Amino acid sequence: MIIDCAYYRDGRRQHVGAMSIEDAAERCREGGFVWLGLFDPTTEELDQASESFGLHELAVEDAQTFHLRPKVEPYEGDIRLVILRTARYDDEREEVDFGEVSVFVGPAFVITVRQGVASELHGARTRLEQRSELLENGTNSVLWAILDQVVDTYGPVVAELERDIEEVEKTVFAGSVAPTERIYFLRREVTDFYRAVHPLLAVLATLERGARNTGLLPYFRDVRDHLVLVNEEVAAQRDLLTTVLEANMAVISVEQTKVSVQQNATIEQLTILATVFLPLTFVTGFFGQNFGWLVDHVNKEWDFFVLGIGGLLIPCVALFIWFRRQRAARHRT
């Protein structure tokens, strides 16, 4: 759908009401320039804009495709296609929403094609219309305003991601196990954000070279300075999440080791208990036999105590000595 279509000349907007694509294309021949804003346009709307403004079919195809990396492509007629990735942090879902803005820049027109919820450009148009000295620089001023707004929206996203990372970091380095899935999800979001930010540096460098002979060069440099700072922060966040993930794996390993030690201690206690009952089982089984010698010779209490208690004491003393030697050997190692 068409969000706004305006004709600018001498640094001012020349009309208030709506303007059709055909009327906008006619105004381009009168001097000044036209800024046409489209949001999730239909194929028919893009075909109409392509026919009216002479856009290359490959450029129109790129505008309909969601790209992973920003880029700038030159076409015939001094027309450039600049693709930008936008980002917005959703507080309720604690996720980053990504969008895209495709900007067709010609000598007498600017066409913006927005995709996704995180691609609002109304603020850029409003601020630019309030600065007639910048509008007098033509279509490059619109490109600067769009870049400036897109880069400015990166700042809050960086801050919110930093907050999420700090929460996970505190959990991990406090010795508790953080949800590994949450760390992986944050790392994926930061990586996607980095793919939106880092390639834009090369795009801005190309656009700066094209703005050397205009009064907009300092403004493009200012946007690039902000972008460099965002790029450094996002790269640091990605490295930090790698460290947090490794630390979380170490914490998980320590917890598993503790569980293994507890299980080993329990098994050791059960082994000792089974070993203690072993001679009792032996004595019970020994006296439970119906051999003639036992029946004929164990017929007094004294015989029972000597054979029974002796049969218990001898293995118990032997086990005690063996355990003492094992413990002393562990201490020496």
Side-chain angles (χ1 to χ4, degrees):
M1 61 180 295
I2 299 177
I3 301 300
D4 197 358
C5 184
Y7 172 62
Y8 299 92
R9 187 173 183 177
D10 298 326
R12 296 186 181 278
R13 183 169 180 157
Q14 300 300 314
H15 68 98
V16 177
M19 179 184 297
S20 66
I21 296 179
E22 293 83 359
D23 292 340
E26 289 294 331
R27 289 291 186 95
C28 290
R29 301 180 178 90
E30 301 175 2
F33 67 93
V34 170
W35 182 356
L36 170 63
L38 302 174
F39 176 71
D40 285 338
T42 62
T43 304
E44 291 76 12
E45 289 175 334
L46 277 178
D47 290 342
Q48 186 180 5
S50 175
E51 182 179 352
S52 300
F53 292 95
L55 304 179
H56 198 281
E57 59 179 351
L58 293 179
V60 175
E61 182 180 345
D62 278 345
Q64 294 176 301
T65 306
F66 199 84
H67 294 261
L68 293 177
R69 297 170 62 90
K71 68 173 185 176
V72 54
E73 292 285 347
Y75 291 93
E76 296 179 358
D78 197 19
I79 298 175
R80 292 169 293 171
L81 172 62
V82 181
I83 295 179
L84 310 173
R85 293 290 307 280
T86 59
R88 185 185 68 182
Y89 188 87
D90 191 302
D91 292 325
E92 294 183 0
R93 296 184 290 112
E94 295 185 341
E95 296 179 9
V96 180
D97 294 324
F98 292 97
E100 184 173 296
V101 178
S102 301
V103 187
F104 297 91
V105 184
F109 65 87
V110 176
I111 301 174
T112 55
V113 180
R114 294 163 42 203
Q115 293 178 321
V117 296
S119 58
E120 176 63 42
L121 295 179
H122 178 71
R125 186 187 290 266
T126 301
R127 287 195 302 270
L128 188 59
E129 289 178 353
Q130 295 173 353
R131 306 187 64 176
S132 59
E133 73 280 5
L134 295 181
L135 271 172
E136 290 177 355
N137 288 277
T139 55
N140 281 329
S141 64
V142 177
L143 186 57
W144 164 79
I146 295 172
L147 285 166
D148 186 57
Q149 172 154 330
V150 169
V151 174
D152 284 345
T153 57
Y154 288 162
V157 178
V158 172
E160 294 296 336
L161 286 174
E162 187 71 25
R163 185 194 62 182
D164 293 342
I165 294 172
E166 287 179 355
E167 292 177 356
V168 175
E169 187 181 13
K170 289 179 181 178
T171 303
V172 172
F173 290 102
S176 302
V177 178
T180 305
E181 182 180 357
R182 176 61 173 163
I183 300 176
Y184 272 110
F185 179 78
L186 279 174
R187 193 171 187 276
R188 185 184 65 187
E189 284 198 324
V190 171
T191 300
D192 290 342
F193 193 28
Y194 182 80
R195 290 173 180 168
V197 172
H198 185 69
L200 190 55
L201 290 171
V203 173
L204 264 173
T206 302
L207 297 178
E208 277 186 37
R209 290 193 294 268
R212 285 178 179 175
N213 298 325
T214 68
L216 294 172
L217 182 58
Y219 296 93
F220 278 98
R221 286 177 177 172
D222 179 68
V223 174
R224 191 173 189 276
D225 290 340
H226 293 168
L227 184 63
V228 168
L229 180 60
V230 172
N231 179 71
E232 292 175 352
E233 292 178 346
V234 175
Q237 288 179 346
R238 191 173 60 169
D239 296 338
L240 179 59
L241 278 172
T242 301
T243 304
V244 170
L245 181 60
E246 293 175 353
N248 188 60
M249 292 300 181
V251 172
I252 293 175
S253 178
V254 170
E255 293 295 327
Q256 291 176 344
T257 303
K258 290 180 180 178
V259 172
S260 298
V261 170
Q262 292 176 354
Q263 291 177 345
N264 291 337
T266 303
I267 292 174
E268 183 179 355
Q269 293 175 357
L270 292 175
T271 302
I272 294 173
L273 186 62
T275 306
V276 170
F277 276 94
L278 183 61
L280 296 176
T281 306
F282 169 75
V283 172
T284 304
F286 180 76
F287 286 101
Q289 300 177 93
N290 293 322
F291 293 113
W293 184 87
L294 287 174
V295 175
D296 296 335
H297 292 81
V298 183
N299 50 14
K300 295 181 180 179
E301 294 181 359
W302 179 253
D303 296 333
F304 176 80
F305 280 112
V306 170
L307 295 175
I309 301 301
L312 289 174
L313 288 178
I314 292 174
C316 286
V317 171
L319 286 173
F320 176 77
I321 296 172
W322 182 79
F323 283 132
R324 288 291 297 271
R325 288 182 179 179
Q326 291 294 322
R327 183 177 299 175
R330 283 199 300 267
H331 286 307
R332 284 195 298 270
T333 58

